[in-house]
Amino acid sequence: MSEVAEPAGGFLGDPAEAFEVASTGGGCCGTSPEGGCCGTTDAGTTDAGDGCCTPEAKADAVASGAGCCG
Amino acid sequence: MILQRSAIGRVSAERMRATVATLAGEEFAGRRVGSRGGRAAREWLAGQLAELGGGPAVRVQEFTVAAVPELTATPSLAWTGGPELRHRRDFVEHLATADQPAPLRGGVVGPAADDWSGRWVLVPAGFGTGLAVLARRAGTEGARGLLVQATRDAGGWLPKRLAGPAAGPVPILAVAADHHAELARAATGDGEVEVTASVPLRRVPVPAANLVAPLGRPSSFPVEVLLCAHHDGVGDDPRLRLPAASDNATGVAVVLEAARLLAAAPPAGLGVQVALLDGEETGADGSAYHAAQLVAAGRRPLVINVDGAGRLEGAAAVEAGGPAHPLLAALDQAGRQAGVALRAGPVASDNRRYAAAGLGAVGIGAGMPGYHSPADTAERVEASTLVALARLVVTTVWMLADRTGQIHRQSSIID
């Protein structure tokens, strides 16, 4: 009988680090929760998300490859 | 714990798939906020909530969304000698567009041209001047409108959105990159090229409503958990269905299933509420309204929001805001117990509104195949993802109840 591995679960990697990253919006627009960013995670239409996030949040998002907010 | 394990085993993939299929069905027409289909879906969901164990009182929390973009007909785009273009495949309305129901005809120029009057302005990708500035100039100089570039998704669709910039002074269409380049070539070649386009998109104020229900009797527990998911979608186009299955019929199905199990095996010492939210696609309007109501009433539940449970690829994304450390710890523990891997990642959804109001909130996302397109169908939703997320949510609530109990026991010993 072969050994069955326990299913992986919980936060990948160091949970403390994951908590920290999760709490900063995962590098996306979480820095601007009042900016009406919700529902615009996909840059399907060029510029459609402009005016959604702050320029800083948008730059952060693009730099991190998150592809959020236009 | 035996009771809990037994309840976890009763998570029903069939029930959740049926919920997703119903919400994504033709009758509800993509569930856009304020639409007939949206209202019908909400009425159906109110019935589902009322059937939960304990017979909770379902509250309908009404509010207004000020300016919802609504296509009154299918936009059109064609140019002299050009190919036949399809809405949402080859071009889409841009949210900063003015309402232009009748086709407008005119020549084509680039933004560097001196005279825009009576012409469509073809804006290259990455053009240095912002769209708002270009639109203002176009309005002032009497341009027909702007044609900007868009990117198709993996399925070849140009996703639909309702949240974005306010309407500008001229019509604006976003054209898929290949056709945008083709038009640029045609416009600089021999012979006059004329573009004819319409964008029948008006903005209307609409009534919206959240559904809020406590599980069991309304309680005065010191710790409350709010399970939520948005029930609205981006809505069908005039001639295209956008079923909004993964986004977010799946989240609703997961929350309803979790609520059923928690009603059958209530966590000790913990109050649980369910909120099915409206107006997320227009900018999380429903959660903004609900969060303000909670704070005004002095209530501070821990919020678990599910947005997207269509296809779990590796690990579910988790975003936290506000005082969410207890939630993250419980989620981590629950993930280990339920065998669901988690990663820190953006979940741009209602959780942000609750966090912005000062509540501890997490958003959980596990895939939206076909996001905001006709490809977001019930058939593409994976039953295994629905089951994984329902188990994760239920186990997280029990973990929070265990922690709450431990804190109370420790307080009693100290006292």
Side-chain angles (χ1 to χ4, degrees):
Chain A
M1 184 192 273
S2 63
E3 215 170 275
V4 178
E6 284 292 314
F11 278 99
L12 302 174
D14 176 10
E17 191 179 323
F19 288 12
E20 178 68 26
V21 177
S23 299
T24 54
C28 187
C29 311
T31 48
S32 181
E34 292 286 10
C37 301
C38 303
T40 57
T41 52
D42 191 316
T45 304
T46 304
D47 287 339
D50 281 359
C52 173
C53 298
T54 64
E56 292 78 10
K58 184 174 173 180
D60 287 345
V62 171
S64 69
C68 81
C69 301
Chain B
M1 191 53 80
I2 290 168
L3 180 64
Q4 293 175 357
R5 282 193 181 138
S6 160
I8 281 290
R10 289 199 297 272
V11 167
S12 167
E14 288 70 31
R15 198 159 41 211
M16 285 187 282
R17 288 186 75 159
T19 298
V20 171
T22 300
L23 288 172
E26 280 187 33
E27 181 189 355
F28 298 148
R31 311 187 308 279
R32 201 213 67 199
V33 59
S35 66
R36 186 184 301 175
R39 284 192 297 277
R42 199 169 64 226
E43 284 164 17
W44 183 79
L45 285 169
Q48 296 293 302
L49 280 173
E51 285 175 10
L52 290 178
V58 181
R59 280 190 297 124
V60 180
Q61 207 173 57
E62 295 178 340
F63 58 99
T64 302
V65 181
V68 178
E70 180 179 87
L71 287 171
T72 51
T74 302
S76 63
L77 172 65
W79 63 82
T80 317
E84 189 175 326
L85 302 178
R86 299 157 300 170
H87 176 238
R88 212 159 292 291
R89 283 288 194 188
D90 302 317
F91 70 96
V92 285
E93 66 284 359
H94 191 291
L95 282 183
T97 189
D99 185 12
Q100 181 56 52
L104 277 179
R105 190 178 175 91
V108 183
V109 292
D114 291 331
D115 183 10
W116 289 11
S117 176
R119 319 277 181 84
W120 286 93
V121 181
L122 188 65
V123 183
F127 188 70
T129 309
L131 190 69
V133 175
L134 292 173
R136 272 198 300 277
R137 180 182 163 193
T140 304
E141 297 190 12
R144 290 289 189 243
L146 303 178
L147 301 169
V148 301
Q149 189 172 306
T151 306
R152 293 189 184 92
D153 67 13
W157 295 101
L158 296 166
K160 180 175 186 176
R161 300 203 291 198
L162 300 181
V170 295
I172 307 177
L173 282 170
V175 186
D178 52 344
H179 293 301
H180 192 276
E182 193 178 349
L183 177 56
R185 281 193 300 274
T188 54
D190 296 335
E192 177 79 1
V193 171
E194 285 203 315
V195 165
T196 306
S198 65
V199 201
L201 183 143
R202 64 180 183 181
R203 289 167 189 269
V204 289
V206 299
N210 300 325
L211 300 173
V212 183
L215 281 191
R217 293 190 310 278
S219 69
S220 55
F221 290 119
V223 178
E224 271 190 313
V225 175
L226 172 67
L227 306 181
C228 60
H230 73 88
H231 62 72
D232 64 310
V234 289
D236 289 353
D237 283 344
R239 290 191 302 211
L240 265 182
R241 288 234 51 230
L242 285 89
S246 280
D247 185 13
N248 186 34
T250 55
V252 171
V254 165
V255 165
L256 281 176
E257 186 68 9
R260 281 191 184 96
L261 295 172
L262 290 167
L270 196 70
V272 180
Q273 269 197 87
V274 174
L276 302 180
L277 302 164
D278 209 349
E280 193 271 350
E281 300 294 2
T282 49
D285 296 295
S287 49
Y289 185 84
H290 187 218
Q293 298 280 313
L294 288 169
V295 170
R299 295 174 67 181
R300 302 185 62 79
L302 295 165
V303 180
I304 301 173
N305 177 50
V306 182
D307 197 353
R311 187 173 61 206
L312 183 60
E313 290 179 344
V318 175
E319 178 181 315
H325 196 276
L327 268 172
L328 286 169
L331 252 183
D332 185 41
Q333 210 177 342
R336 291 172 197 281
Q337 187 163 317
V340 181
L342 307 170
R343 65 177 170 84
V347 182
S349 181
D350 291 304
N351 41 289
R352 290 185 180 173
R353 292 297 193 191
Y354 292 108
L359 307 179
V362 294
I364 307 171
M368 297 177 179
Y371 172 77
H372 287 199
S373 82
D376 186 3
T377 60
E379 292 72 28
R380 298 185 72 184
V381 171
E382 291 183 351
S384 57
T385 299
L386 294 170
V387 169
L389 268 277
R391 288 179 173 168
L392 178 70
V393 169
V394 171
T395 310
T396 301
V397 174
W398 281 328
M399 293 297 175
L400 285 167
D402 281 352
R403 284 162 179 266
T404 305
Q406 283 167 18
I407 291 166
H408 285 175
R409 281 193 293 278
Q410 285 165 4
S411 302
S412 305
I413 291 165
I414 292 166
D415 292 344

